[in-house]
Amino acid sequence: MQEQLHRILVINPGSTSTKIGVFDNEILIMERTIHHSAEALADFPTIPDQYRFRTQTILETLDEEGMNVSNLSAVCGRGGLLHPIEGGTYKVNKTMLKDLRKGILGQHASNLGGIIAYEIAEGLNIPSFIVDPVVVDELDPIARISGFSLIERKSIFHALNHKAVARRYAKEKGRAYKDMRLIVAHMGGGITVGVHLNGRVVEVNNGLHGDGPFSPERAGTVPAGDLVELCYSGKYSRQEIMKMLIRQGGLAGYLGTTDTVKVEKRIQKGDGPAQSIYEAMAYQVAREIGSASTVLSGKIDAIILTGRLAYGKEFTASISGRVNWIADVLVMPGENELQALAEGAVRVLNKEEKVKTYTAGK
């Protein structure tokens, strides 16, 4: 039986750009990055106010590329900051649009993904979706306990890429994702290590400003007592502390750059401190993977290293050398966000997966 053809438009809004792709099922046939000038965006008081402007630029770009929107089967946008939800593909509904526009967990460019997808799809009378947003929360109850009664551990991670590479690996093995026991380490500006058990990420470090390995931008887990002393030293404001933890931590704090290519070049030229810090980052990722392996009692199908840092052969080799005794280590570099969005839409359109409904507060 011939596979039904679904043409999908996928949209991934960034702060000053919008990445779009057109897929025939899971095959990319067109990809563009639309750059928006600071002057053009300055006309809009809030991020949601940009949706008409960005929608128009997307439609104009598709027309320039000779893409007839009437041939689309669905539109899929990057998921934004919604209430915590389980992983999967969600149809954009009125409740989701309200929360995205309101910015219930903050204003972020990714909030535009669902809004623009709905705007384009509604005019064509086709469905619009989001897939595995960063607010995916499938933590086991025991994983939420931090040890400090006033603070609960949160699930904030690179859910889209985590789930996509896990599903691809399962498919390559001829198995269902829901039957796998995996550890996935996404390594980019932030680093998150997740435990995938039967289709759910039951344990993962908070990749924004919580715990886990340090990364090119994030400080990761730091000694709590020393951090408290620093906060009350009078030397830094709350904003300065947060910036040092989230944007100027990790490689940025130690080496003054988040560019790992530059760091590797410095190491090649004999920069000892750069080598020590880079090795420490790999060490912390390996340590986090080792810790995560206890959640699965050591019974693990595979460890997957992904994200842009996975392109670094020496970096991944350093991690693999410390953890390959636990399970086979696979390197699947890159983020492939457009591909992951298209795959999520196709699974629903092919009825391989049930579409999910977003409900406020769920």
Side-chain angles (χ1 to χ4, degrees):
M1 185 176 177
Q2 188 173 5
E3 184 181 29
Q4 185 177 354
L5 178 65
H6 302 292
R7 178 159 290 186
I8 318 287
L9 168 64
V10 297
I11 302 165
N12 183 10
S15 58
T16 59
S17 66
T18 305
K19 294 179 182 178
I20 64 171
V22 177
F23 289 76
D24 280 348
N25 290 342
E26 298 174 357
I27 305 300
L28 178 67
I29 62 171
M30 190 278 287
E31 180 179 6
R32 281 282 298 272
T33 299
I34 305 167
H35 296 282
H36 311 297
S37 68
E39 292 77 16
L41 297 181
D43 292 336
F44 305 102
T46 68
I47 289 175
D49 292 332
Q50 300 172 12
Y51 87 91
R52 284 195 180 90
F53 165 73
R54 294 211 195 201
T55 299
Q56 187 59 37
T57 61
I58 290 170
L59 293 174
E60 290 173 356
T61 300
L62 292 171
D63 187 55
E64 291 170 4
E65 294 289 336
M67 292 289 162
N68 187 344
V69 294
S70 65
N71 293 329
L72 294 175
S73 303
V75 185
C76 190
R78 180 72 184 270
L81 300 177
L82 297 161
H83 287 290
I85 54 178
E86 65 179 7
T89 299
Y90 287 77
K91 189 171 182 178
V92 181
N93 59 20
K94 299 291 186 180
T95 303
M96 182 186 296
L97 288 173
K98 180 181 177 182
D99 285 351
L100 289 173
R101 286 171 176 148
K102 187 177 180 181
I104 53 167
L105 291 183
Q107 294 290 355
H108 190 272
S110 62
N111 290 8
L112 288 165
I115 298 172
I116 296 172
Y118 182 86
E119 180 75 9
I120 294 174
E122 183 74 359
L124 299 169
N125 197 30
I126 57 177
S128 54
F129 306 111
I130 66 165
V131 181
D132 292 326
V134 294
V135 295
V136 166
D137 185 347
E138 300 168 335
L139 291 183
D140 275 348
I142 197 170
R144 300 185 189 280
I145 300 171
S146 70
F148 183 43
S149 64
L150 300 181
I151 298 176
E152 181 177 86
R153 293 186 67 237
K154 295 181 178 67
S155 174
I156 302 176
F157 71 113
H158 308 86
L160 184 63
N161 193 42
H162 263 257
K163 295 270 189 177
V165 296
R167 288 189 183 101
R168 285 178 203 142
Y169 174 73
K171 189 173 183 180
E172 288 173 5
K173 291 296 181 181
R175 298 174 61 185
Y177 170 50
K178 65 181 179 62
D179 297 328
M180 303 295 284
R181 302 167 66 92
L182 303 168
I183 295 175
V184 177
H186 174 104
M187 305 176 297
I191 294 175
T192 52
V193 178
V195 177
H196 296 240
L197 175 63
N198 300 331
R200 300 176 65 83
V201 182
V202 297
E203 169 65 77
V204 67
N205 62 290
N206 181 332
L208 181 57
H209 50 70
D211 45 12
F214 74 79
S215 72
E217 296 180 357
R218 313 278 197 263
T221 301
V222 296
D226 292 339
L227 179 60
V228 170
E229 291 294 334
L230 194 63
C231 290
Y232 285 89
S233 66
K235 296 179 181 179
Y236 307 100
S237 67
R238 177 183 181 277
Q239 290 77 13
E240 288 171 330
I241 291 287
M242 289 299 288
K243 190 174 182 179
M244 287 190 288
L245 290 173
I246 299 172
R247 295 298 178 194
Q248 296 177 348
L251 295 186
Y254 284 111
L255 302 177
T257 181
T258 62
D259 190 332
T260 54
V261 174
K262 290 182 179 179
V263 173
E264 289 172 355
K265 287 181 179 178
R266 285 168 59 172
I267 293 170
Q268 290 170 3
K269 293 179 181 179
D271 188 328
Q275 183 171 2
S276 295
I277 298 302
Y278 205 48
E279 287 180 354
M281 187 166 68
Y283 166 83
Q284 288 201 4
V285 174
R287 187 179 65 189
E288 191 77 11
I289 290 171
S291 175
S293 70
T294 64
V295 178
L296 297 176
S297 302
K299 299 174 184 177
I300 301 157
D301 293 312
I303 297 166
I304 302 174
L305 306 180
T306 186
R308 63 180 174 83
L309 297 190
Y311 285 110
K313 292 184 178 179
E314 292 185 10
F315 185 70
T316 55
S318 178
I319 297 169
S320 178
R322 292 182 182 274
V323 302
N324 58 14
W325 59 274
I326 300 172
D328 290 339
V329 179
L330 292 94
V331 179
M332 301 174 70
E335 297 188 5
N336 306 307
E337 292 164 332
L338 297 182
Q339 183 76 38
L341 291 170
E343 290 170 357
V346 169
R347 284 194 301 273
V348 165
L349 293 173
N350 283 341
K351 295 181 169 47
E352 298 169 9
E353 181 181 301
K354 288 185 178 180
V355 68
K356 294 182 177 178
T357 301
Y358 175 78
T359 305
K362 300 293 183 183

